[in-house]
Amino acid sequence: MTDYKSTLNLPKTDFPMKANLAQREPEMLKRWYVEDLYGQIRKVAEGRPRYIMPDGPPYANGDIHIGHAVNKILKDIVIKSRTLAGFDAPYVPGWDCHGLPIELMVEKKHGKAGQKLDSRAFRAACREYAGKQVDRQRADFKRLGVLGDWDRPYLTMNPQYEADELRAFARIFERGHVYKGFKPVHWCMDCGSALAEAEVEYADKTSPAIDVRFRVIDEAGFLQRFGGATPAGEGAISIPIWTTTPWTLPANQAVALNAELEYVLVAADFGAGPERLLVADALLDSVMKRYGVEQYDIVGRASGQAFERSMLAHPFYDRQVPVILGEHVTIDAGTGAVHTSPGHGQEDFVVGQAYDLPIDNPVGPNGVFLPGTPLFEGEHVFKANPRIVDLLRERGVLLHHAPYQHSYPHCWRHKTPVIFRATPQWFIGMDSNGLRAQTLDEIKKVQWLPSWGEERIRLMVANRPDWCISRQRTWGVPIPLFVDQRTGEPHPDTAALVEQVAQRVETGGIDAWFELDPAELLGKDAAKYDKVTDTLDVWFDSGCVHYAVLERRPDMGLPADLYLEGSDQHRGWFQSSLLTGIAMRGQAPYLSVLTHGFTVDAQGRKMSKSVGNVVAPQKVMGTLGADVLRLWVAATDFSGEMNVSDEILKRMADSYRRMRNTLRFLLANLNEFDPARHAVEPDNMLALDRWLLARLAALQTEVATAYEGMAFHQIYQRLHNFCVRDLGGFYLDVIKDRQYTAQADSLARRSCQSAMYHAAEAMVRWLAPILSFTAEEAWSYLPGERPNAVMLTTWYDTPAATVPQPIDWDTVLRVRVEVSRELERLRAAGEIGSSLDASVDLYCDDVAFDALAPLGDELRFALITSEAHLHRAAERSEDAVAAADVEGVYIAAKRSANDKCVRCWQRRPDIGKSPEHPELCGRCVENVAGAGETRKFA
């Protein structure tokens, strides 16, 4: 037997089948930064339309987790896809560096500021700690394959950023949005500071729910308010309130009713003899059931409006409090009467302002009642709850007491319950200068992805209180104000003074403010002013990215095309950026906002070390590689929760291998192909190769559109299907015969090589934003002259053929599937091994016949059988089986009786006709010793 292996065009490539991503990726990463790939991209992109997406800064504390990885990978996919689409898309990473978590970490080592370290040294320690955390996180973000300006990130602790944040504050101050107020704010007793809305999360808490009598002082006058006949009944008259915060009763200043609700006076024995209670009619049944009272009489009825300014007795202090009216009083729960402490609640504060009620806050920053607080001095508010309940019982004013589980605000850092506490704080007013109305208007102009984000943030803005921007921190950007000691008003030249402070901060950091002698700026007037020592809310820090980064850096710009973060940032960064942007310029700082969901395990459970379901990105990168993690991110619909587990990632690794092997097949069959010399013009290509060009062009449009619409999971689905179905399941399977057996420089071979070359050029680019390392590796094996990195190019422009397609390939594909089913049946019965062992007869109606007939003898190549004969349906044999999914087609398949060609493995009747090559079929003889076979279609 002659060895014909040397006459075949067998695939060959150094692109390895085994990816070894965990080992190969770090080597590639090192090269990217040695060669400054990001800098090269910036040079190539110079002059293109700009696409701006700022980085919402992660907090500089702790190692990155899987949520960080999702966020950074999504941003990288956006930036890289926009770059390939022909934009100049810079990426400037950033970190949020101030605030309590870093202070707490430094306190663990050095104690609180002023103990082992003075304030300056304490801030230096905070800065050092944050810097180390940035370095750790930066290394992991880079390892994910995220390209960016990592050597020049923005850090909110950089003096330049801090100075620009002060300038942003000055602009907001100049536009009249900043004021100082004494009003209740969320207060964390562990932080010892006010909290912003975004720093509060809700969790279940069990509280003591109590109903308390507020006795009417002037009963005769009260009864007259019902109009008409005086209500009957015996006993004292009270208005009962229901509350889950007994500790706020010492600060009570009123009881609120709703003017529009109807109230009833109920006479009954509530456990202390006959008495009368005023409750909302709509809540009467639930109130009586709660009190265990079955027999009662309604003796009076009137609207809440009738009882305004009636006077009631405080339940345990010698204090008279009025009945007031408020729209916040509802019939969702309780009695229809709301205990009102303006110093401990936002709605209480608002209605208290309307009635000029005292704003009493007897609670200190540690949650302990202040000295001089009658009965409860020195007690922690939560520990005082049982004492207050006992006191109410002793005074005979407790109607009911039971534990009550409800959603309660907690500090997002300490996970501990917070309180509402009135303190002097600095605020950005939502309504005083039209900020809320402007913001609600701007929200409509932004594109929200998913679309439900618009309604979510609209409701948050519509219902939020004024933004408390002051904090009592050591490590934070200062509120750079001088306040008149007599009037409390900021200095009239505040804007100019802040600029002077900003210039000092640019060189000396925030210490320049804290160590500033006011006389240096105010001269002899310094004695009249106090220097504010509060710091700015860290959400104000990050909320100024649009000014301190986008407006101030020459490589960026405003407005941003996209803000991209997790769905929790409607309360956080999206909103703080929106409010500061509108307060500064009157318009939103972004054109569109995209949110992604949170990561959960395969069962939908939150990641938890105690549950043992945490997936660490560092471990994934060290085993499967960053590209597998990136593929999972792209393949998952990030608009909802994102399920991840070791098993899910292993399945993703299998999908990765299919894509990699497809690339490897293309590269292996481009061995020795030089596009400059060997590429065939589209119009001269074989029909099947022109089909692939058309498929590439259509897929290019689909992929580019999906990237633009951020539908990355659709890209994964399309590319995976393209590799498995279009290429692996059809095209590459069919062209193996002519690729391997045709003469090396024949049109048949060069045509399919040209098509594979175009496919590889397009596919590597499609994959580059997602499989960044693999695409870069494959790029280095592509033939022809090219830039040294795929990201230095744009989407591939697949050449199009102008010659009409002679073949209906859709019908060929469908018939091919049906034939494969029949061949599989023969294989299962042991009648054939390879499909080339088979001979097939197709009996077709006129439609199918006309679609397949142009292929002629090349139909067998499309079906990958040794013989394929086409007949009219009327001629069909008895053994022909109707195709399941192609109407009018019948298939008869059997084992071929011919010998097998040792070169092409087809069973042909002309084997042995050539004396010189008795083991070859006629076609192979022509390819080995003649001018070469002619192929037109497949």
Side-chain angles (χ1 to χ4, degrees):
M1 180 179 286
T2 304
D3 183 4
Y4 289 99
K5 185 176 181 180
S6 62
T7 69
L8 297 173
N9 311 304
L10 296 178
K12 180 182 178 182
T13 182
D14 291 330
F15 182 76
M17 179 181 295
K18 191 171 182 180
N20 284 328
L21 293 176
Q23 292 74 41
R24 192 170 285 117
E25 287 173 345
E27 298 171 4
M28 201 175 304
L29 196 66
K30 184 178 179 180
R31 179 173 63 82
W32 287 353
Y33 287 97
V34 168
E35 297 177 359
D36 187 20
L37 177 57
Y38 179 78
Q40 291 183 55
I41 294 172
R42 297 278 63 76
K43 290 179 182 177
V44 169
E46 196 172 328
R48 294 179 183 174
R50 189 84 52 92
Y51 186 90
I52 301 298
M53 183 195 68
D55 193 17
Y59 196 69
N61 187 28
D63 291 333
I64 72 166
H65 52 67
I66 193 71
H68 286 119
V70 167
N71 182 266
K72 280 293 190 287
I73 289 170
L74 286 175
K75 290 174 181 173
D76 193 51
I77 293 174
V78 170
I79 291 295
K80 286 175 178 170
S81 63
R82 293 291 81 202
T83 299
L84 287 164
F87 289 89
D88 178 5
Y91 178 62
V92 179
W95 276 270
D96 200 352
C97 305
H98 294 119
L100 186 68
I102 290 172
E103 282 193 39
L104 293 176
M105 297 304 293
V106 173
E107 284 178 6
K108 288 180 181 179
K109 183 176 181 180
H110 300 290
K112 292 183 178 291
Q115 293 179 350
K116 295 180 182 178
L117 300 177
D118 62 22
S119 294
R120 182 184 182 89
F122 186 87
R123 282 190 285 269
C126 289
R127 190 178 300 278
E128 180 185 9
Y129 175 82
K132 290 178 179 178
Q133 299 300 302
V134 167
D135 288 342
R136 287 170 63 92
Q137 292 185 7
R138 172 166 37 203
D140 282 343
F141 287 145
K142 291 169 73 172
R143 177 63 185 86
L144 288 168
V146 178
L147 282 178
D149 198 349
W150 293 107
D151 293 333
R152 296 192 312 135
Y154 76 86
L155 308 179
T156 61
M157 68 178 182
N158 280 350
Q160 183 62 58
Y161 190 103
E162 292 169 335
D164 285 337
E165 184 178 338
L166 296 183
R167 293 184 174 104
F169 172 82
R171 194 183 295 185
I172 294 171
F173 181 89
E174 279 187 290
R175 290 169 65 93
H177 296 292
V178 178
Y179 73 94
K180 187 176 185 180
F182 183 75
K183 59 192 298 186
V185 294
H186 283 116
W187 186 274
C188 175
M189 294 168 282
D190 293 303
C191 296
S193 176
L195 300 181
E197 288 288 303
E199 295 175 305
V200 176
E201 60 187 20
Y202 286 80
D204 286 345
K205 179 181 183 293
T206 300
S207 300
I210 58 174
D211 289 74
V212 182
R213 298 175 177 91
F214 275 69
R215 291 202 166 113
V216 174
I217 293 173
D218 179 8
E219 293 185 355
F222 187 82
L223 292 173
Q224 291 177 3
R225 292 173 179 260
F226 285 90
T230 302
E234 299 179 28
I237 303 173
S238 300
I239 299 180
I241 63 92
W242 177 84
T243 182
T244 58
T245 55
W247 63 269
T248 62
L249 283 169
N252 174 273
Q253 300 296 334
V255 170
L257 306 180
N258 189 308
E260 305 300 322
L261 289 180
E262 186 169 68
Y263 290 81
V264 292
L265 190 64
V266 182
D269 184 346
F270 296 100
E275 63 177 303
R276 290 165 287 182
L277 301 181
L278 186 76
V279 298
D281 186 25
L283 292 168
L284 179 60
D285 289 344
S286 64
V287 169
M288 294 299 106
K289 184 177 180 180
R290 187 161 70 244
Y291 297 167
V293 174
E294 296 181 358
Q295 300 294 326
Y296 57 87
D297 294 313
I298 298 174
V299 297
R301 186 181 295 271
S303 68
Q305 181 77 48
F307 306 103
E308 184 179 20
R309 300 194 186 279
S310 295
M311 298 306 293
L312 310 174
H314 189 281
F316 49 76
Y317 285 159
D318 184 15
R319 178 191 303 162
Q320 294 186 8
V321 299
V323 173
I324 61 175
L325 303 176
E327 294 180 357
H328 68 289
V329 180
T330 67
I331 54 174
D332 294 336
T335 66
V338 174
H339 140 60
T340 302
S341 296
H344 290 312
Q346 178 61 30
E347 291 172 329
D348 293 16
F349 175 82
V350 172
V351 72
Q353 291 287 94
Y355 282 89
D356 198 24
L357 297 178
I359 304 172
D360 184 21
N361 170 31
V363 179
N366 56 354
V368 172
F369 283 107
L370 295 169
T373 305
L375 304 175
F376 308 108
E377 174 182 333
E379 288 192 57
H380 190 279
V381 290
F382 292 151
K383 292 181 179 179
N385 274 336
R387 279 245 300 120
I388 292 173
V389 172
D390 289 342
L391 178 62
L392 294 169
R393 187 178 288 112
E394 291 171 11
R395 297 292 177 95
V397 293
L398 184 67
L399 277 160
H400 186 258
H401 171 220
Y404 180 74
Q405 188 176 43
H406 58 142
S407 181
Y408 189 87
H410 286 64
C411 173
W412 74 317
R413 296 186 184 93
H414 292 97
K415 311 302 178 185
T416 52
V418 302
I419 61 175
F420 261 104
R421 177 174 177 268
T423 58
Q425 301 288 345
W426 292 93
F427 296 88
I428 289 179
M430 293 299 297
D431 299 301
S432 57
N433 207 12
L435 181 58
R436 191 189 309 275
Q438 278 187 287
T439 303
L440 292 173
D441 187 54
E442 283 295 301
I443 286 172
K444 300 174 188 175
K445 302 174 184 177
V446 175
Q447 181 186 23
W448 300 91
L449 304 168
S451 59
W452 51 256
E454 178 176 354
E455 180 64 8
R456 187 166 190 237
I457 196 167
R458 188 193 68 78
L459 288 173
M460 288 178 175
V461 170
N463 298 318
R464 69 162 293 153
D466 290 350
W467 180 4
C468 178
I469 59 170
S470 53
R471 295 293 180 274
Q472 293 67 49
R473 304 274 195 257
T474 302
W475 175 233
V477 177
I479 295 179
L481 296 175
F482 297 102
V483 178
D484 189 296
Q485 296 174 353
R486 184 176 58 84
T487 66
E489 292 298 315
H491 195 284
D493 295 329
T494 288
L497 290 170
V498 172
E499 177 55 34
Q500 293 183 55
V501 173
Q503 291 174 13
R504 293 174 180 237
V505 168
E506 276 179 337
T507 56
I510 55 177
D511 290 315
W513 168 260
F514 293 113
E515 297 173 1
L516 175 70
D517 181 350
E520 295 178 37
L521 299 183
L522 303 183
K524 61 182 180 180
D525 287 340
K528 301 176 184 177
Y529 289 90
D530 290 329
K531 185 174 72 169
V532 173
T533 58
D534 288 351
T535 59
L536 283 161
D537 173 17
V538 291
W539 288 107
F540 190 93
D541 286 15
S542 59
C544 290
V545 165
H546 58 81
Y547 175 72
V549 179
L550 301 192
E551 189 171 324
R552 300 287 282 174
R553 285 183 64 140
D555 55 339
M556 303 297 279
L558 273 173
D561 292 277
L562 178 70
Y563 269 40
L564 187 161
E565 291 300 327
S567 56
D568 58 332
Q569 295 306 313
H570 288 106
R571 297 181 68 236
W573 191 55
F574 297 152
Q575 193 172 150
S576 64
S577 300
L578 187 63
L579 294 176
T580 54
I582 294 172
M584 290 176 69
R585 305 180 199 88
Q587 62 185 51
Y590 41 66
L591 300 176
S592 58
V593 171
L594 183 147
T595 58
H596 61 81
F598 295 111
T599 54
V600 294
D601 69 9
Q603 287 74 46
R605 297 173 300 178
K606 184 178 179 181
M607 297 286 170
S608 168
K609 290 182 180 179
S610 60
V611 175
N613 61 353
V614 172
V615 175
Q618 296 85 351
K619 180 181 177 182
V620 178
M621 292 187 288
T623 52
L624 300 175
D627 266 2
V628 172
L629 188 59
R630 294 177 68 97
L631 187 61
W632 164 73
V633 172
T636 307
D637 182 357
F638 59 77
S639 63
E641 290 184 334
M642 303 178 69
N643 299 92
V644 63
S645 66
D646 291 340
E647 182 59 34
I648 289 172
L649 288 170
K650 286 178 183 176
R651 292 201 298 269
M652 198 51 58
D654 292 337
S655 295
Y656 167 82
R657 278 188 285 272
R658 282 191 285 272
M659 291 183 174
R660 183 182 181 89
N661 287 339
T662 301
L663 277 175
R664 188 173 188 274
F665 186 93
L666 294 173
L667 294 171
N669 284 287
L670 292 174
N671 181 44
E672 297 181 358
F673 177 79
D674 180 358
R677 293 187 298 124
H678 301 138
V680 177
E681 289 297 319
D683 287 353
N684 297 327
M685 283 183 172
L686 272 64
L688 182 58
D689 302 328
R690 278 186 272 143
W691 170 86
L692 181 59
L693 292 190
R695 185 73 189 94
L696 290 172
L699 192 54
Q700 171 65 63
T701 300
E702 294 172 14
V703 167
T705 300
Y707 268 125
E708 187 174 0
M710 317 296 170
F712 305 138
H713 63 292
Q714 294 180 12
I715 296 168
Y716 163 77
Q717 292 164 2
R718 284 180 169 88
L719 295 189
H720 187 265
N721 288 341
F722 178 66
C723 290
V724 173
R725 185 184 61 201
D726 293 352
L727 290 180
F730 177 52
Y731 179 79
L732 299 180
D733 207 20
V734 172
I735 58 95
K736 283 179 185 177
D737 179 86
R738 62 180 155 111
Q739 166 61 19
Y740 296 167
T741 67
Q743 290 186 345
D745 204 31
S746 65
L747 174 64
R749 179 167 181 255
R750 294 306 189 196
S751 176
C752 68
Q753 279 189 308
S754 298
M756 286 189 286
Y757 168 73
H758 295 309
E761 287 277 15
M763 190 173 167
V764 169
R765 289 168 169 84
W766 295 338
L767 291 174
I770 298 170
L771 301 181
S772 295
F773 292 104
T774 303
E776 195 60 63
E777 183 184 5
W779 181 260
S780 66
Y781 288 95
L782 280 170
E785 294 293 324
R786 63 190 57 253
N788 65 354
V790 63
M791 287 308 304
L792 299 176
T793 64
T794 54
W795 298 131
Y796 187 63
D797 187 12
T798 306
T802 58
V803 176
Q805 273 284 11
I807 305 296
D808 177 3
W809 289 107
D810 286 342
T811 300
V812 174
L813 270 165
R814 291 164 58 215
V815 170
R816 190 173 183 273
V817 171
E818 299 293 338
V819 170
S820 295
R821 287 200 187 109
E822 282 302 298
L823 298 184
E824 187 57 38
R825 183 182 60 78
L826 292 180
R827 189 178 291 108
E831 295 183 31
I832 64 171
S834 159
S835 65
L836 290 175
D837 291 337
S839 173
V840 173
D841 287 275
L842 298 177
Y843 302 92
C844 305
D845 64 12
D846 291 346
V847 175
F849 188 93
D850 291 345
L852 300 176
L855 280 168
D857 184 53
E858 293 187 34
L859 177 61
R860 63 187 168 110
F861 298 123
L863 301 179
I864 314 182
T865 57
S866 287
E867 294 179 77
H869 306 289
L870 190 64
H871 313 277
R872 297 286 181 180
E875 304 170 15
R876 81 172 179 269
S877 61
E878 292 183 358
D879 60 340
V881 177
D885 296 320
V886 184
E887 188 176 351
V889 174
Y890 301 86
I891 304 166
K894 61 184 179 182
R895 181 181 178 85
S896 172
N898 299 319
D899 293 332
K900 181 165 72 173
C901 173
V902 298
R903 185 171 180 272
C904 71
W905 295 2
Q906 292 209 3
R907 295 183 177 275
R908 301 297 297 164
D910 55 358
I911 294 174
K913 296 287 180 69
S914 170
E916 293 83 6
H917 303 283
E919 299 160 306
L920 300 187
C921 65
R923 181 174 67 96
C924 281
V925 171
E926 184 66 21
N927 284 330
V928 170
E933 68 173 313
T934 299
R935 298 274 277 267
K936 295 182 179 180
F937 307 112

